[in-house]
């Protein structure tokens, strides 16, 4: 804002204290409204990525079972980097999972979920796909964020060889 200085004929440039305070107040209000929405969006995006990683690996296992003509398994593992895959009987997928074939041949490894999220459930030992692509059972694996927010929940449902993802309170 330009103001003429009558004393010496020069222009003063800058903002008055009131203009700065009004600008800062408007910025604070906008941040107070926008930041929680941004956090929900980032949480939702992260969790979709985590459950999609498991969905991709189960679809990969099914595809490999059909391609190889052998049973392929996906199971949660407390130590997915172990030389021989050991399935977690507690069905805690949070620490990672492994896709493997006959004779414990490891095909793919995942490191699990992050940010305090939990991924649990399913039927032991995890999805096992037959050489024709059918799963052995129907089960559900559920992903919760660290706040256990129902609206952020994601579920992966395995049924007769197919996997589907559900979101929010609609999860079983």
């Amino acid at each position: 804002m330009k103001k003429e200085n009558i004393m010496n004929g020069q222009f003063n440039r800058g903002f008055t204290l009131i203009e700065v305070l009004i600008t800062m107040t408007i910025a604070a209000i906008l941040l107070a409204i926008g930041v929680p929405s941004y956090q929900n969006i980032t949480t939702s995006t992260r969790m979709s990525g985590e459950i999609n990683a498991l969905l991709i690996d189960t679809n990969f296992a099914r595809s490999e079972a059909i391609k190889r003509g052998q049973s392929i398994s996906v199971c949660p593992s407390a130590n997915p980097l172990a030389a021989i895959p050991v399935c977690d009987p507690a069905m805690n997928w949070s620490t990672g999972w492994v896709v493997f074939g006959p004779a414990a041949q490891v095909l793919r490894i995942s490191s699990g979920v992050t940010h305090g999220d939990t991924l649990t459930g399913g039927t032991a030992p995890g999805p096992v796909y037959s050489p024709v692509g059918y799963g052995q059972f129907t089960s559900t694996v559920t992903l919760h964020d660290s706040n256990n927010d129902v609206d952020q929940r994601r579920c992966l449902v395995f049924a007769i060889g197919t996997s589907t993802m559900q979101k929010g309170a609609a999860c079983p």
Side-chain angles (χ1 to χ4, degrees):
M1 192 178 226
K2 296 181 181 179
K3 293 184 180 179
E4 188 173 341
N5 188 335
I6 298 175
M7 300 281 290
N8 58 16
Q10 294 179 344
F11 291 100
N12 290 331
R13 297 171 192 234
F15 299 101
T16 65
L17 181 60
I18 293 175
E19 292 171 333
V20 171
L21 289 175
I22 290 173
T23 303
M24 289 177 58
T25 303
I26 292 171
I29 291 170
L30 291 174
L31 281 173
I33 293 170
V35 168
S37 297
Y38 180 72
Q39 288 173 340
N40 284 340
I41 289 170
T42 56
T43 298
S44 179
T45 302
R46 182 190 75 246
M47 290 182 67
S48 290
E50 290 171 343
I51 201 74
N52 282 336
L54 180 56
L55 179 63
I56 287 167
D57 283 347
T58 58
N59 287 335
F60 169 77
R62 182 173 185 262
S63 172
E64 286 295 306
I66 294 168
K67 181 175 89 175
R68 294 169 184 246
Q70 301 173 329
S71 292
I72 303 291
S73 301
V74 182
C75 76
S77 177
N79 184 7
L81 299 177
I84 298 174
V86 178
C87 295
D88 182 2
M91 298 306 287
N92 180 7
W93 299 78
S94 300
T95 56
W97 56 88
V98 61
V99 178
F100 61 95
Q105 176 190 13
V106 176
L107 303 175
R108 192 176 274 185
I109 298 171
S110 174
S111 60
V113 298
T114 60
H115 292 84
D117 297 344
T118 56
L119 184 61
T120 57
T123 305
V128 178
Y129 295 97
S130 71
V132 292
Y134 290 120
Q136 293 182 343
F137 50 82
T138 298
S139 66
T140 302
V141 176
T142 306
L143 175 66
H144 293 275
D145 68 337
S146 58
N147 297 326
N148 204 16
D149 183 0
V150 174
D151 293 330
Q152 295 291 352
R153 183 172 55 191
R154 306 287 191 282
C155 296
L156 189 58
V157 180
F158 305 103
I160 312 173
T162 62
S163 303
T164 58
M165 198 270 293
Q166 298 173 352
K167 179 182 175 187
C171 288

